[in-house]
Amino acid sequence: MTKNAKVLKAGLGYTIGNYMLKGISFISIPIYTRLLSTSDYGRFNNFLTYEGIFFVFVGFAIHSSYKSARYKYKLVSENAVPGKDYYSYASATILFVLICTLAWLILFNIFEIQLSRLLGLDRFSINLLVVYSASMALITCFNTDVGIDYEYRKFLLVSGFNAIGTVIISVLLLITAFSGKRYMGMIIGASVPSILAAIYIIFYFFKRARPNNLWDFLKWGIVYSLPIVPHGLSQVVLNQFDRIMITKMVSVAATGVYSFAYNIYSILAVTFNSLDNVWSPWFYEQMRAKKFHEIKKISSIYILLMFIFSSGVILISPEIVFILGEKNYWVAKYTAIPVVAGGFFAFMYTVPAAVEYYHAKTVWIAIGTTAAAIINILLNYIFIPKIGYIAAAYATLVTYILYFCFHFFIAKKIQGLNLFSTKVILSCSVGILVISLITRMLINIMWIRWSIALLITVCSILYEENKYGYIVSKIIELLNRRENK
């Protein structure tokens, strides 16, 4: 199998597999919204927000160093010294996460009373929060590691166990032991499969290589990853902190409705997170080979495809809300539009940010995300009391637009040239805003919105084939390969 074929197969594997996993979650959403009140759903999502924060502190974003470490330390099979190779480095980082977890558990129990007042959680929930956060950090390390060599099957195995286990355990707890405290049933249901998966991951890394050379490895890895910590925290602010603000400034029920709208955005997130597992390693390879023309060509197709998909999700989002949610959640159709539009610009940021990661200029990642987080908090603080919780969705959209612009210009400065098509980026950015406006204006006229979605898909494919001719050529190539077998 050629390298390009392997990349394409991995991209399809990640995307299709993730959609199957997301399909499991989507099947469960109508069940959750009928078993959980908007208040319970809001409390559960606040717990997930806290997990997003402590995930960064427990793992110190050490997974972000893996791609660069893979090429810095190499493998034993590539003549690396045993004990100083990439696998040993990865195991050392897993041990580091475990040490951090123990330290945080001790610290949290010392200050348990203060944390209970601040977070509104009891001692059991606080300890579960730390262990769950550590589990998610370990799972992220595993996913990053297997993604480097396009091993999507291993990724899907762990992710599938986590997704299916979460649904089964959560539903069982909601209808049995926690029928009177259902948000707690959701918290435990989400935590247990992740913890079990994390135990498997620890054995996986340690079996592959012992965590040797700990000090030297971590000295480099922590210096590389540390600037990503404020970036990770700021990402939580951008993605989830608005839910805490809505709880404090509006109500926990409003947080439940707002959080439900993010289920629509997750359709988009699954796609670009899946493709990023392939895009990032491929981008690194092209950068090392200095194939800048190829980067510009493929990134344009990548952006165009995500624009088509994002536009389609926005245009049909009202119907998705009606299908997934119980009647109390239907008002989320207004929030879903800016949330998904913001998600498109969140994807767009990952394209130029790859330049910063490649050149190990992670301090710019931290600066950009921290600035964006501050802007987001200020916008929420000003407009949520005036407009209501929907203001948080529009604040996130504005913030992500600024966020992308910052990284686009920084990437150009670092590289010394623009690796990406300004024309494609500008056209798709304006297009997604226009689509959002049209959807809001025609929110109760389904047939027009669906017709526009179909028209955009057809026109975009025709444009791509006329400009690049990539999609059809790849399909023909795959069909010919199958015939020749």
Side-chain angles (χ1 to χ4, degrees):
M1 183 184 292
T2 65
K3 186 69 172 180
N4 286 337
K6 184 178 180 181
V7 173
L8 181 61
K9 183 178 179 181
L12 291 172
Y14 272 114
T15 305
I16 294 171
N18 268 326
Y19 269 109
M20 292 174 65
L21 296 175
K22 196 60 191 176
I24 296 168
S25 299
F26 262 53
I27 291 171
S28 66
I29 289 171
I31 300 173
Y32 293 155
T33 58
R34 284 157 179 81
L35 291 174
L36 294 167
S37 66
T38 53
S39 296
D40 281 333
Y41 201 67
R43 289 190 182 95
F44 169 63
N45 277 277
N46 280 339
F47 179 86
L48 294 182
T49 299
Y50 297 139
E51 177 273 319
I53 294 171
F54 294 120
F55 158 85
V56 178
F57 286 117
V58 171
F60 276 88
I62 199 71
H63 67 276
S64 64
S65 68
Y66 279 19
K67 292 185 180 75
S68 293
R70 171 64 179 82
Y71 298 105
K72 176 179 175 65
Y73 295 113
K74 303 185 183 303
L75 304 179
V76 172
S77 61
E78 299 167 343
N79 298 320
V81 177
K84 295 185 178 181
D85 60 301
Y86 166 71
Y87 286 163
S88 297
Y89 171 81
S91 291
T93 63
I94 298 301
L95 180 59
F96 171 70
V97 173
L98 295 177
I99 293 170
C100 289
T101 303
L102 180 60
W104 282 113
L105 280 171
I106 294 171
L107 193 63
F108 272 40
N109 279 279
I110 291 173
F111 296 100
E112 181 262 331
I113 296 174
Q114 293 86 344
L115 285 169
S116 293
R117 291 172 182 168
L118 178 65
L119 305 179
L121 301 174
D122 57 24
R123 181 185 288 271
F124 172 78
S125 298
I126 289 172
N127 282 283
L128 184 60
L129 176 62
V130 176
V131 177
Y132 179 45
S133 300
S135 299
M136 294 307 297
L138 292 169
I139 290 171
T140 303
C141 287
F142 177 82
N143 290 342
T144 305
D145 176 81
V146 298
I148 292 172
D149 292 318
Y150 310 107
E151 295 179 304
Y152 64 92
R153 290 186 179 88
K154 291 181 179 178
F155 163 79
L156 293 176
L157 178 66
V158 171
S159 299
F161 172 80
N162 203 8
I164 296 170
T166 296
V167 174
I168 293 173
I169 296 174
S170 295
V171 172
L172 286 175
L173 291 177
L174 288 175
I175 61 178
T176 56
F178 291 91
S179 59
K181 201 175 182 181
R182 288 182 167 172
Y183 73 90
M184 181 57 71
M186 285 292 295
I187 290 171
I188 296 174
S191 301
V192 170
S194 298
I195 294 169
L196 294 175
I199 293 171
Y200 162 78
I201 288 167
I202 293 167
F203 282 104
Y204 171 86
F205 277 98
F206 287 177
K207 182 180 179 181
R208 193 173 65 177
R210 295 177 63 184
N212 293 314
N213 204 28
L214 189 65
W215 172 249
D216 289 336
F217 278 144
L218 293 181
K219 188 167 59 175
W220 178 85
I222 293 173
V223 169
Y224 182 98
S225 302
L226 201 57
I228 306 299
V229 172
H231 164 71
L233 291 174
S234 299
Q235 283 280 34
V236 174
V237 171
L238 285 174
N239 294 328
Q240 296 182 333
F241 195 74
D242 43 11
R243 302 173 198 193
I244 295 175
M245 295 185 73
I246 291 170
T247 298
K248 301 293 185 182
M249 302 171 79
V250 185
S251 68
V252 71
T255 303
V257 174
Y258 181 79
S259 299
F260 174 78
Y262 268 82
N263 288 309
I264 315 303
Y265 159 73
S266 67
I267 301 173
L268 187 64
V270 166
T271 305
F272 73 69
N273 286 335
S274 300
L275 295 177
D276 187 61
N277 286 318
V278 177
W279 160 259
S280 293
W282 178 87
F283 178 83
Y284 273 55
E285 291 167 2
Q286 304 309 305
M287 287 291 285
R288 288 200 310 279
K290 299 188 183 302
K291 294 183 178 180
F292 300 141
H293 177 74
E294 190 72 6
I295 289 173
K296 192 168 190 175
K297 176 183 175 181
I298 300 302
S299 65
S300 296
I301 297 172
Y302 186 28
I303 292 168
L304 180 62
L305 288 173
M306 285 305 300
F307 164 74
I308 298 168
F309 186 69
S310 302
S311 298
V313 172
I314 291 171
L315 286 162
I316 68 172
S317 60
E319 286 67 47
I320 300 175
V321 170
F322 295 150
I323 292 170
L324 295 180
E326 194 266 338
K327 193 171 183 178
N328 291 337
Y329 292 86
W330 285 359
V331 70
K333 67 181 181 180
Y334 298 103
T335 309
I337 297 169
V339 163
V340 177
F344 173 75
F345 287 98
F347 150 74
M348 289 280 279
Y349 134 79
T350 65
V351 177
V355 176
E356 297 161 65
Y357 280 110
Y358 177 79
H359 290 287
K361 302 292 186 180
T362 51
V363 66
W364 287 110
I365 302 286
I367 291 171
T369 316
T370 302
I374 293 171
I375 292 170
N376 187 255
I377 290 173
L378 289 174
L379 290 174
N380 284 334
Y381 183 77
I382 294 169
F383 291 106
I384 289 177
K386 296 179 179 180
I387 303 174
Y389 68 87
I390 196 171
Y394 285 100
T396 301
L397 169 59
V398 171
T399 303
Y400 269 123
I401 292 173
L402 297 174
Y403 188 48
F404 162 71
C405 291
F406 173 83
H407 286 290
F408 177 80
F409 290 112
I410 290 298
K412 184 177 179 181
K413 178 181 178 180
I414 291 172
Q415 188 63 33
L417 58 93
N418 182 16
L419 293 174
F420 314 104
S421 171
T422 304
K423 182 179 178 181
V424 170
I425 287 172
L426 187 60
S427 300
C428 291
S429 298
V430 173
I432 209 74
L433 296 176
V434 172
I435 290 297
S436 300
L437 180 61
I438 290 172
T439 303
R440 181 61 184 85
M441 293 171 62
L442 303 175
I443 199 163
N444 295 318
I445 308 177
M446 184 182 76
W447 72 270
I448 298 181
R449 289 186 284 101
W450 282 65
S451 298
I452 294 172
L454 179 62
L455 181 64
I456 289 173
T457 303
V458 172
C459 290
S460 297
I461 292 174
L462 290 174
Y463 170 79
E464 187 281 327
E465 285 305 303
N466 181 58
K467 183 76 174 178
Y468 303 107
Y470 189 80
I471 298 174
V472 171
S473 66
K474 282 298 177 183
I475 293 173
I476 292 173
E477 182 183 323
L478 288 173
L479 291 174
N480 288 338
R481 188 179 295 115
R482 180 170 294 182
E483 290 177 359
N484 292 331
K485 284 184 178 180

